[in-house]
């Protein structure tokens, strides 16, 4: 706390590094920066560690990554001691894991909780970052490390009358800590992205009635989540080093990768048989451990899309509802592909209604519920499963100012500009963990996070050894990287749909493909080469 009689300058605490965020990224950054012997302070809005898994406590919240890789690999002892109960870990277990990591490595002591970083300004004269919090404290840091997450800025749609609703309303990404009882309640869910698809089957089981408001039908693949047997756990633990190494160099950081053959080179019956067999296994492997042309070639993608469309028809009893649920007009997996546990089956329940917003759009939210152009859907609880201002939102919601007071938000007003997704010109000594222009959300994020933190710490070590005090990207390197990120995306089907990967869920957000789509392994190679060549593309002074 600041002393009332001291000037702001005197009250400024000097540290080597300021870290923002206490999710996977912030925790690992604190661990590694401490190892380097840096003095640091870390800040977190929430009351505890966990990030995504602290905030997203909605019913059914779960990871779609296989548990044994959705975790840290930096400590062999941690890896061997911790045992996941299920193939896909659920929110309480992941939160427990991150709390365990924080305790085990004494990371909480670095953090100041219930503290938002509101401003961070680079001071050219001192070559330091002045970090200000919503508590009015000031910290002067050599390095600014943002671990703010890619999906931490919850987005509520601008529907008129929201404040008038007399019932309870929640955003899935800012879920309350107490259990919400849906028993006997009329519940509405707006949004059928990954969070909605996870929450809907669970809410339907207890709600008196559930109304699902769907704007865009979504593809979804069954997760077939199961408990891990002691035998399976033993096998994973024995092989974990190899599994991790495979993930590091794979396309999406998961323990599967594309098959050698392409679907279009095979007979349709053979492809169908393979898709069916992978469908029974569940998980992302169905798409991302399958033929690579499914992601890149529209004709091949249609095979997978039609396969899912037929599955929806076979599961949903009412043909009209089935047709409303079937996605049309965009390639499968070009939007974030959800995994589900009985999502389509939920629409066979008597207590569930699907409202297709393309036929009957929402006009406003009223006291009693949601008003469409047809009727008022009366509700006691309204759930916004409406996603996030992804990748850029968590950074631009902080007033970050670089050289000459330039604001990051203004610099990125036409789309984010970064080098390797880790740094941005004009913002010296600021490092972003899984920033826009890095693979981040296109795969298993802990794999990405560890790579980024390791790279950043190696870079800081290099600077300290070389006596270098400032690092920032060259204009040319940043421009070339931005063009490369867009070029790679333009070669895929991902740009053929409006998705949050392109910022399309946020009114006015420039349509720019945000993550790097060249694959985790390829990206790691590029980052390593940059470092080997003395941080090529960066100006070090
Ligand atoms: C519902 C859901 C499911 C997901 N499933 C998967 C999955 O299956 N596989 C996968 O790889 N990834 C998944 N993700 C992505 C997930 O975000 C990452 O896996 C991972 O948790 C990111 O960790 P992080 O530390 O980078 O960010 P986060 O966990 O988002 O943590 C960032 C933290 O920074 C804090 N923060 C932000 N701004 C400020 C500020 N100004 N001041 C103070 N604190 C601030 C936030 O409060 C937050 O706690 C999922 C995300 C969601 C929302």
């Amino acid at each position: 706390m600041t002393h009332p009689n001291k000037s702001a300058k005197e009250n400024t605490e000097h540290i080597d590094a300021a870290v923002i965020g206490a999710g996977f990224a912030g925790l690992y950054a604190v661990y590694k920066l401490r190892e380097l012997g840096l003095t640091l302070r870390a800040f977190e809005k929430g009351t505890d560690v966990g990030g995504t898994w602290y905030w997203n406590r909605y019913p059914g919240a779960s990871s779609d990554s296989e548990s044994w890789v959705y975790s840290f690999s930096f400590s062999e002892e941690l890896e061997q001691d911790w045992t996941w109960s299920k193939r896909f870990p659920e929110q309480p277990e992941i939160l427990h894991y991150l709390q365990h990591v924080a305790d085990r490595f004494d990371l909480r002591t670095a953090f100041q909780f219930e503290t938002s970083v509101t401003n961070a300004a680079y001071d050219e004269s001192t070559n330091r970052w002045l970090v200000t919090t919503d508590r009015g404290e000031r910290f002067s840091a050599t390095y600014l490390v943002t671990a703010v997450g890619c999906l931490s800025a919850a987005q509520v749609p601008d529907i008129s009358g929201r404040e008038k609703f007399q019932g309870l309303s929640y955003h899935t990404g800012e879920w309350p800590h107490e259990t919400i009882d849906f028993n006997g309640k009329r519940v509405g869910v707006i949004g059928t992205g990954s969070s909605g698809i996870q929450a809907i089957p669970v809410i339907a089981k207890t709600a008196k009635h559930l109304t699902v408001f769907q704007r865009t039908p979504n593809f979804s693949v069954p997760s077939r989540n199961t408990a891990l047997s002691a035998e399976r756990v033993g096998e994973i633990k024995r092989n974990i080093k190899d599994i991790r190494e495979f993930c590091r160099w794979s396309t999406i950081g998961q323990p599967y990768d594309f098959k050698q053959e392409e679907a279009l080179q095979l007979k349709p019956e053979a492809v169908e048989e393979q898709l069916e067999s992978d469908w029974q296994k569940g998980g992302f492997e169905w798409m991302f451990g399958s033929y690579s042309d499914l992601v890149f070639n529209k004709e091949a993608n249609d095979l997978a899309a039609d396969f899912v469309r037929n599955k929806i028809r076979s599961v949903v009893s009412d043909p009209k509802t089935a047709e409303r649920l079937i996605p049309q007009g965009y390639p499968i997996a070009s939007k974030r592909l959800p995994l589900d546990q009985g999502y389509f089956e939920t629409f066979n329940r008597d207590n569930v209604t699907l409202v297709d917003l393309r036929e009957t759009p929402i006009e406003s939210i009223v006291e009693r519920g949601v008003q469409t152009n047809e009727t008022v859907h009366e509700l006691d609880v309204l759930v916004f499963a409406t996603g996030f201002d992804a990748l850029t939102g968590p950074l631009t919601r902080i007033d970050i100012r670089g050289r000459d007071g330039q604001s990051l938000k203004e610099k990125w007003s036409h789309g984010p500009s970064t080098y390797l997704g880790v740094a941005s010109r004009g913002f010296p000594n600021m490092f972003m963990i899984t920033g826009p222009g890095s693979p981040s959300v296109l795969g298993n994020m802990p794999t990405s996070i560890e790579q980024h933190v390791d790279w950043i710490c190696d870079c800081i070590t290099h600077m300290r050894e070389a006596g270098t005090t400032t690092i920032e990207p060259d204009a040319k390197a940043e421009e070339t990287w931005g063009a490369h990120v867009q070029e790679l995306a333009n070669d895929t089907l991902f740009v053929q749909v409006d998705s949050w990967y392109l910022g399309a869920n946020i009114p006015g957000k420039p349509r720019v493909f945000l993550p790097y789509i060249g694959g985790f392994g390829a990206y790691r190679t590029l980052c390593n080469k940059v470092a080997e060549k003395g941080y090529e593309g960066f100006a070090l002074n």
Side-chain angles (χ1 to χ4, degrees):
M1 279 289 144
T2 49
H3 190 285
N5 297 326
K6 282 189 176 177
S7 70
K9 203 165 186 182
E10 281 174 274
N11 276 318
T12 304
E13 186 180 325
H14 282 244
I15 48 181
D16 292 324
V19 178
I20 316 173
F24 271 98
L27 290 173
Y28 187 46
V30 163
Y31 174 83
K32 283 287 288 193
L33 291 167
R34 269 185 179 168
E35 259 192 355
L36 298 188
L38 265 60
T39 57
L40 59 93
R41 294 295 290 260
F43 308 95
E44 167 56 53
K45 246 184 247 184
T47 58
D48 196 10
V49 300
T52 289
W53 308 103
Y54 170 92
W55 295 104
N56 291 262
R57 296 170 189 241
Y58 59 83
S62 163
S63 163
D64 296 336
S65 294
E66 317 273 345
S67 53
W68 53 97
V69 295
Y70 194 70
S71 54
F72 290 116
S73 70
F74 69 83
S75 158
E76 221 172 287
E77 292 76 24
L78 169 67
E79 236 171 12
Q80 291 300 323
D81 289 351
W82 184 267
T83 299
W84 293 102
S85 68
K86 287 188 173 173
R87 178 179 174 192
F88 298 110
E90 289 160 4
Q91 177 270 331
E93 194 171 11
I94 308 170
L95 182 59
H96 183 206
Y97 169 77
L98 291 170
Q99 288 168 338
H100 169 81
V101 171
D103 289 339
R104 185 170 182 136
F105 299 100
D106 187 31
L107 304 178
R108 273 201 187 81
T109 47
F111 279 93
Q112 203 169 302
F113 294 103
E114 294 180 82
T115 306
S116 285
V117 170
T118 51
N119 306 66
Y122 175 71
D123 179 351
E124 182 109 45
S125 65
T126 56
N127 188 29
R128 297 183 73 83
W129 281 92
L130 182 65
V131 174
T132 313
T133 74
D134 59 351
R135 293 169 177 260
E137 301 139 306
R138 293 152 54 96
F139 299 86
S140 167
T142 311
Y143 305 106
L144 176 65
V145 180
T146 67
V148 291
C150 296
L151 301 173
S152 62
Q155 177 68 10
V156 180
D158 191 14
I159 305 173
S160 70
R162 244 177 43 222
E163 67 296 341
K164 291 190 185 144
F165 182 57
Q166 293 295 299
L168 300 168
S169 75
Y170 308 103
H171 187 286
T172 49
E174 289 174 349
W175 201 261
H177 291 201
E178 68 273 14
T179 308
I180 307 297
D181 183 7
F182 295 106
N183 251 300
K185 304 260 170 52
R186 297 162 304 173
V187 184
V189 174
I190 300 183
T192 54
S194 291
S195 300
I197 282 178
Q198 288 185 343
I200 284 163
V202 186
I203 296 176
K205 282 184 189 149
T206 52
K208 181 176 169 202
H209 193 88
L210 173 63
T211 308
V212 176
F213 297 92
Q214 171 195 270
R215 188 177 58 180
T216 311
N218 214 337
F219 293 99
S220 183
V221 174
S223 74
R224 307 206 192 281
N225 201 6
T226 49
L228 292 173
S229 65
E231 199 189 358
R232 180 80 179 109
V233 167
E235 186 193 333
I236 291 164
K237 287 192 180 180
R238 277 192 303 281
N239 296 305
I240 194 68
K241 271 196 174 169
D242 292 342
I243 298 172
R244 296 285 197 186
E245 196 54 13
F246 177 86
C247 290
R248 287 184 191 113
W249 299 98
S250 69
T251 311
I252 62 165
Q254 301 272 13
Y256 26 80
D257 219 339
F258 294 121
K259 295 188 201 321
Q260 293 302 315
E261 322 96 300
E262 296 198 335
L264 292 182
Q265 291 168 349
L266 303 168
K267 289 204 169 109
E269 311 84 69
V271 174
E272 175 85 13
E273 204 175 301
Q274 185 67 52
L275 289 177
E276 181 58 41
S277 142
D278 289 347
W279 186 262
Q280 295 312 324
K281 290 186 208 152
F284 282 143
E285 190 169 4
W286 180 80
M287 188 80 199
F288 301 109
S290 191
Y291 311 108
S292 60
D293 53 346
L294 300 186
V295 179
F296 295 101
N297 182 311
K298 178 69 173 56
E299 207 185 320
N301 187 279
D302 283 344
L303 297 173
D306 284 342
F307 180 91
V308 178
R309 291 183 185 118
N310 287 333
K311 287 287 179 195
I312 299 171
R313 282 190 192 101
S314 72
V315 162
V316 180
S317 324
D318 173 37
K320 273 193 185 157
T321 306
E323 287 314 310
R324 287 187 177 114
L325 285 167
I326 288 175
Q328 301 286 2
Y330 69 90
I332 183 169
S334 54
K335 283 173 178 282
R336 199 315 194 149
L337 188 63
L339 296 189
D340 71 272
Q341 299 195 56
Y343 172 66
F344 294 112
E345 290 84 343
T346 300
F347 293 91
N348 294 334
R349 296 177 67 103
D350 292 339
N351 68 334
V352 176
T353 308
L354 177 69
V355 175
D356 189 335
L357 299 178
R358 295 164 304 176
E359 295 165 11
T360 54
I362 294 178
E363 288 190 337
S364 61
I365 293 173
V366 293
E367 287 85 346
R368 290 178 297 135
V370 172
Q371 164 94 60
T372 64
N373 66 354
E374 191 180 53
T375 188
V376 173
H377 296 272
E378 297 204 2
L379 304 169
D380 304 306
V381 184
L382 182 54
V383 175
F384 290 97
T386 46
F388 303 91
D389 183 354
L391 283 96
T392 51
L395 290 161
T396 56
R397 286 184 187 188
I398 306 171
D399 187 4
I400 299 178
R401 295 194 177 253
R403 252 184 233 292
D404 306 321
Q406 185 188 22
S407 128
L408 188 72
K409 190 175 175 179
E410 270 163 35
K411 180 181 172 189
W412 288 4
S413 60
H414 301 292
S417 176
T418 73
Y419 181 40
L420 302 175
V422 79
S424 190
R425 183 171 168 77
F427 298 81
N429 299 345
M430 178 178 100
F431 295 102
M432 295 173 286
I433 304 173
T434 66
S438 76
S440 65
V441 289
L442 292 179
N444 182 46
M445 287 204 63
T447 312
S448 257
I449 288 168
E450 286 193 327
Q451 184 261 341
H452 254 193
V453 173
D454 290 345
W455 192 93
I456 291 165
C457 289
D458 287 349
C459 177
I460 291 176
T461 304
H462 170 86
M463 287 174 71
R464 284 155 65 95
E465 284 171 3
T468 312
T469 55
T470 314
I471 185 166
E472 74 179 295
D474 293 336
K476 182 92 184 101
E478 187 164 304
E479 195 185 308
T480 308
W481 183 253
H484 177 57
V485 170
Q486 297 312 308
E487 231 170 61
L488 287 173
N490 289 339
D491 279 347
T492 70
L493 303 173
F494 281 71
V495 290
Q496 293 187 11
V497 64
D498 283 342
S499 72
W500 57 258
Y501 293 139
L502 284 147
N505 61 325
I506 307 296
K509 192 164 171 174
R511 199 172 195 280
V512 171
F513 197 77
L514 296 166
Y516 170 85
I517 202 168
F520 277 36
Y523 176 81
R524 183 180 289 269
T525 303
L526 285 169
C527 288
N528 289 354
K529 276 193 186 148
V530 165
E532 278 158 21
K533 292 186 180 169
Y535 295 89
E536 190 180 43
F538 285 94
L540 287 139
N541 298 311

